[in-house]
């Protein structure tokens, strides 16, 4: 009887693990020419969660975010990627949390403190200080981080010469990860380079709830 119970539990656990693997999608890109790769994953279970991880450059287990539960799943998924002009700091935005990687120390911190938001550009300041209803007038044709990747948008790579951010004064915009528009779970993830669409508006500004 005991063996039967243990066997049944093992089958349940194995089935759960297999389901988790089946319902997880990920995409990786090289984080410029510095020996690092950046992977972003979305997992569907009872809810929907997202996570990213850095690998390479001597990391056995690189810095990563925890699994983050997505509000109004899966529509509010995505990760924006920036770096400082001096190439010594990377910023990863989910809107739920801001992650900052210090290349000199290799340490990454997670923050919900608005004081950690990078300095805004003049446009970024105007938008941050404006009511949400007025922002579209100030910044028409904007892109939001929380949007699907359209099926005709190809998956790209971080460009050799990324553009200066429109919203943050000392940063360059490297691109974003997003979920491809689909009718069900388990959709593909792609990395959308800056030449594919506009930079998402204020995607490093934190709204932790």
């Amino acid at each position: 009887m005991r063996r039967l119970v243990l066997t049944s539990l093992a089958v349940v656990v194995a089935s759960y693990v297999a389901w988790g693997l089946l319902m997880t999608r990920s995409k990786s890109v090289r984080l410029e020419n510095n020996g690092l790769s950046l992977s972003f994953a979305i997992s569907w279970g009872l809810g929907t969660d997202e996570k990213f991880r850095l690998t390479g450059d001597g990391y056995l287990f690189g810095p990563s975010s925890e699994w983050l539960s997505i509000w109004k799943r899966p529509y509010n998924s995505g990760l924006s990627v920036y770096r400082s002009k001096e190439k010594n700091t990377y910023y990863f935005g989910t809107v739920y949390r801001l992650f900052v990687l210090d290349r000199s120390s290799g340490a990454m911190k997670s923050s919900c403190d608005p004081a950690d938001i990078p300095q805004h550009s003049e446009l970024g300041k105007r938008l941050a200080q404006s009511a949400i209803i007025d922002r579209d007038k100030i910044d028409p044709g904007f892109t939001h981080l929380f949007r699907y990747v359209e099926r005709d948008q190809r998956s790209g790579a971080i460009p050799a010469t990324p553009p200066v951010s429109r919203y943050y004064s000392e940063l360059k915009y490297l691109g974003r990860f997003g979920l491809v528009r689909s009718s069900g779970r388990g959709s593909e993830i792609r990395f959308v380079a800056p030449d594919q669409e506009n930079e998402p508006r204020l995607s490093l500004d934190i709204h932790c709830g």
Side-chain angles (χ1 to χ4, degrees), residues 189-200:
I189 294 172
R190 292 179 187 169
F191 181 80
V192 183
D195 62 352
Q196 285 280 294
E197 67 178 17
N198 294 333
E199 174 187 354

Side-chain angles (χ1 to χ4, degrees), residues 53-195:
R53 177 181 294 278
L54 292 153
T55 56
D57 195 28
Y59 289 124
L60 180 59
F61 298 101
S64 71
S65 68
E66 68 273 23
W67 282 105
L68 303 170
S69 295
I70 301 171
W71 307 330
K72 297 182 180 179
R73 52 190 181 269
Y75 320 107
N76 288 358
S77 61
L79 179 75
S80 61
V81 187
Y82 292 78
R83 71 156 165 80
S84 63
K85 293 179 180 178
E86 297 78 15
K87 301 185 179 182
N88 55 11
T89 309
Y90 284 88
Y91 297 84
F92 308 98
T94 67
V95 178
Y96 311 114
R97 283 186 178 273
L98 172 65
F99 296 86
V100 183
L101 174 69
D102 182 341
R103 286 291 289 136
S104 60
S105 67
M108 185 170 72
K109 76 171 184 177
S110 165
S111 177
C112 265
D113 187 349
D116 288 327
I117 296 173
Q119 182 179 349
H120 289 120
S121 64
E122 287 303 316
L123 174 60
K125 288 178 185 176
R126 288 184 63 198
L127 291 167
Q129 295 168 1
S130 299
I132 293 177
I133 195 171
D134 295 326
R135 291 180 180 179
D136 290 355
K137 300 174 185 176
I138 299 171
D139 184 30
F142 81 101
T143 297
H144 200 292
L145 175 63
F146 291 156
R147 62 176 292 175
Y148 286 116
V149 176
E150 299 302 331
R151 296 181 184 182
D152 60 353
Q153 287 181 286
R154 69 180 187 276
S155 192
I158 293 173
T161 307
V164 173
S165 170
R166 300 179 67 233
Y167 306 108
Y168 303 99
S169 62
E170 298 299 321
L171 302 186
K172 293 201 171 186
Y173 174 59
L174 307 187
R176 76 172 180 102
F177 290 93
L179 193 64
V180 176
R181 187 181 296 278
S182 173
S183 58
R185 292 180 162 210
S187 184
E188 179 187 359
I189 294 172
R190 292 179 187 169
F191 181 80
V192 183
D195 62 352

Side-chain angles (χ1 to χ4, degrees), residues 43-56:
S43 179
W44 291 263
L46 296 177
T48 306
D49 303 279
E50 62 185 4
K51 181 179 183 178
F52 73 90
R53 177 181 294 278
L54 292 153
T55 56

